[in-house]
Amino acid sequence: MSTPEFMYETFIGATPEKIWEGLTSAAFTSQYFHGTRIRSDWTVGSPVVFMGTEDTAVVEGEVLVADRPTLLSYSWVSLYDEECAKEAPSRVTFEIEPMGGACRLRITHDRFQENSQTYERVRQGWSAIICSLKSLLETGQALPIAGNEEEEEQKGAA
């Protein structure tokens, strides 16, 4: 039996360097990725940790490939869910390809174990997260769909 794989592709009106920064900078991820702040030094073998709003690790992994600014890959263990945390690490890969005045961003999340709960969680979340990143990079505003809804409501009330 084959294991599942998630792939999503979009085009972003930004440079490869800006997209790389969006994927690897805590200042960016906190705006579009469920309020999490990514932490790593982005050298192969180094840890990757997404810190949640309660300052606890919600995802952890290890840098597998870091070819700035076109290819980034790291392992992924979801710690926010007890069942997911028991699973073997999966892998997420970002490919950034310049195309004229824009870039194609392809995300592939694979190497899930059979009957993976992690797969079920990420296949529902990645498209909203990447769309929110695209909006942030192109307009300066993340979408209120990927975990930053409360922050957006607070801005509207001010």
Side-chain angles (χ1 to χ4, degrees), residues 31 141-144 148-157:
Q31 295 179 69
Q141 291 285 68
L143 299 176
N148 57 336
E149 296 87 349
E150 186 175 303
E151 179 181 315
E152 291 299 316
E153 288 173 11
Q154 290 172 357
K155 284 182 188 176

Side-chain angles (χ1 to χ4, degrees), residues 3-144:
T3 59
E5 176 180 292
F6 175 86
M7 200 275 289
Y8 184 81
E9 186 174 276
T10 192
F11 294 85
I12 301 177
T15 65
E17 292 79 12
K18 198 65 173 177
I19 295 169
W20 181 276
E21 183 181 4
L23 295 170
T24 62
S25 163
F28 275 94
T29 61
S30 65
Q31 295 179 69
Y32 73 86
F33 204 123
H34 301 293
T36 63
R37 297 170 321 282
I38 198 167
R39 293 184 183 164
S40 183
D41 67 12
W42 303 112
T43 57
V44 173
S46 292
V48 176
V49 179
F50 286 82
M51 299 301 291
T53 55
E54 303 293 317
D55 210 33
T56 58
V58 294
V59 173
E60 65 182 13
E62 179 182 311
V63 178
L64 304 172
V65 178
D67 186 9
R68 183 185 178 105
T70 59
L71 182 62
L72 177 64
S73 184
Y74 48 85
S75 60
W76 178 283
V77 176
S78 299
L79 303 175
Y80 56 84
D81 179 276
E82 192 175 305
E83 289 302 311
C84 293
K86 294 176 187 175
E87 293 183 12
S90 55
R91 175 183 66 178
V92 62
T93 302
F94 300 94
E95 298 170 83
I96 304 164
E97 180 182 355
M99 303 190 89
C103 289
R104 176 173 52 202
L105 173 63
R106 177 182 295 135
I107 176 174
T108 305
H109 199 143
D110 59 4
R111 295 188 180 171
F112 296 100
Q113 66 184 45
E114 287 186 38
N115 303 312
S116 172
Q117 291 304 304
T118 300
Y119 171 74
E120 292 303 319
R121 301 265 196 276
V122 302
R123 76 177 182 87
Q124 297 173 32
W126 271 125
S127 57
I129 289 166
I130 296 304
C131 285
S132 191
L133 168 64
K134 174 182 170 62
S135 179
L136 178 61
L137 292 175
E138 292 179 344
T139 71
Q141 291 285 68
L143 299 176

